[in-house]
């Protein structure tokens, strides 16, 4: 009987994790649709929604109410924290490191969300922070985008700073942590040595530092930055995890 109970418990744990991941994915999709609707509505509609909580406003004539869906999902799951990131390669790195640490962010009520660029931060902090759903917010950004994050935090009244800043960007942090030689080895292992060599023959790459050339290479093909966000993070020794990434995970 004890063995049966253990198996049942393990199955329940797996079901809970699956439900949590599916629920967080549904919440993330609702938030992205809500934010897209807010952007399309323009400043006038945004000001009108801001007169209340910012939650539950129509997303267009006759359209679905994504704000209400996001609010209901946030309460039901529940969602505890939203991590606001610039792009999907950042999401790949954060989720990979969490998995390496044995963490299930969805089960913890953490939604890791790509905003499609740092300039969208004000919209997401307004919808998800104190003016909207009132969720705890954190994030990771490039150094050149830190001012966007700071203004978004301030305008939405989000307790701050609450976000972490890479020296340049996350790819640069990962490449410097691993070293150019190790990154080249990983590129070779992934079957990308030929395109890397072709890229490095370009005249404009000759005077760049090896780390800079590798960083540029990661952005030369759609999906490559996302793929290597996972690969580079997987390859990090525990004592070589970049500080902003380590601090973000520790704060969750």
């Amino acid at each position: 009987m004890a063995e049966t109970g253990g198996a049942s418990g393990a199955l329940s744990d797996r079901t809970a994790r699956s439900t949590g991941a599916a629920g967080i994915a549904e919440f993330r999709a609702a938030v992205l649709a809500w934010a897209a609707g807010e952007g399309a509505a323009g400043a006038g509609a945004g000001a009108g929604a801001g007169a209340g909580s910012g939650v539950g406003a129509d997303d267009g004539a006759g359209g679905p109410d994504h704000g209400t869906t996001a609010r209901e999902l946030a309460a039901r799951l529940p969602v505890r924290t939203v991590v606001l990131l610039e792009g999907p390669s950042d999401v790949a790195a954060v989720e990979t490191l969490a998995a390496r640490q044995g963490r299930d962010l969805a089960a913890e009520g953490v939604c890791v969300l790509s905003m499609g660029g740092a300039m969208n931060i004000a919209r997401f902090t307004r919808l998800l922070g104190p003016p909207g759903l009132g969720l705890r917010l954190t994030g990771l950004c490039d150094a050149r985008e830190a001012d966007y994050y700071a203004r978004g935090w301030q305008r939405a009244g989000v307790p701050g700073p609450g976000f972490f800043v890479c020296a340049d960007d996350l790819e640069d942090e990962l490449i410097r942590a691993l070293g150019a030689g190790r990154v080249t080895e990983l590129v070779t292992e992934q079957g990308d040595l030929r395109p890397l060599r072709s890229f490095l023959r370009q005249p404009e790459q000759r005077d760049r530092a090896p780390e800079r050339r590798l960083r540029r290479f990661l952005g030369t093909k759609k999906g490559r930055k996302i793929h290597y966000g996972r690969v580079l993070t997987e390859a990090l020794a525990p004592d070589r995890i970049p500080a902003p990434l380590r601090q973000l995970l520790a704060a969750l």
Side-chain angles (χ1 to χ4, degrees), residues 22-249:
I24 289 292
E26 187 179 358
F27 171 76
R28 181 166 47 239
V31 168
L32 291 172
W34 185 21
E38 287 280 316
S53 67
V55 179
D58 283 343
D59 294 312
D65 191 343
H66 297 296
T68 295
T69 300
R71 176 180 56 186
E72 292 173 351
L73 286 168
R76 175 167 60 83
L77 292 171
V79 178
R80 179 174 59 85
T81 301
V82 179
V83 182
L84 296 175
L85 301 174
E86 294 184 47
S89 62
D90 303 317
V91 172
V94 170
E95 291 183 338
T96 299
L97 181 58
R100 278 190 55 184
Q101 295 178 347
R103 298 182 62 177
D104 183 341
L105 295 182
E108 295 177 27
V110 177
C111 175
V112 183
L113 189 149
S114 166
M115 301 181 296
M119 288 185 288
N120 293 319
I121 186 70
R123 186 182 308 164
F124 283 92
T125 53
R126 178 170 58 82
L127 296 180
L128 301 174
L133 300 186
L135 299 173
R136 176 175 176 257
L137 302 181
T138 186
L140 185 75
C141 68
D142 303 347
R144 63 182 176 276
E145 314 293 4
D147 286 345
Y148 288 114
Y149 268 65
R151 286 195 296 270
W153 246 245
Q154 182 179 20
R155 290 172 182 173
V158 180
F163 60 90
F164 302 91
V165 182
C166 297
D168 195 342
D169 59 21
L170 187 52
E171 289 78 23
D172 176 68
E173 294 273 5
L174 293 171
I175 291 168
R176 286 190 292 108
L178 288 164
R182 178 59 179 138
V183 174
T184 301
E185 290 176 0
L186 292 167
V187 169
T188 302
E189 291 170 10
Q190 296 299 308
D192 283 332
L193 183 58
R194 179 177 291 181
L196 175 61
R197 284 175 171 169
S198 177
F199 173 77
L200 294 179
R201 284 196 293 268
Q202 296 177 6
E204 59 268 28
Q205 303 304 324
R206 291 172 185 166
D207 295 330
R208 289 195 172 110
E211 293 80 6
R212 291 289 177 180
R213 288 184 289 186
L214 287 165
R215 178 169 162 256
R216 297 274 294 188
F217 171 72
L218 297 185
T220 57
K221 180 181 177 181
K222 184 177 180 180
R224 184 173 280 156
K225 285 178 68 174
I226 300 171
H227 176 68
Y228 280 97
R230 298 188 188 97
V231 170
L232 301 187
T233 304
E234 281 281 6
L236 289 168
D239 62 347
R240 297 296 296 169
I241 297 169
L245 192 56
R246 183 183 68 250
Q247 292 163 355
L248 173 64
L249 266 292

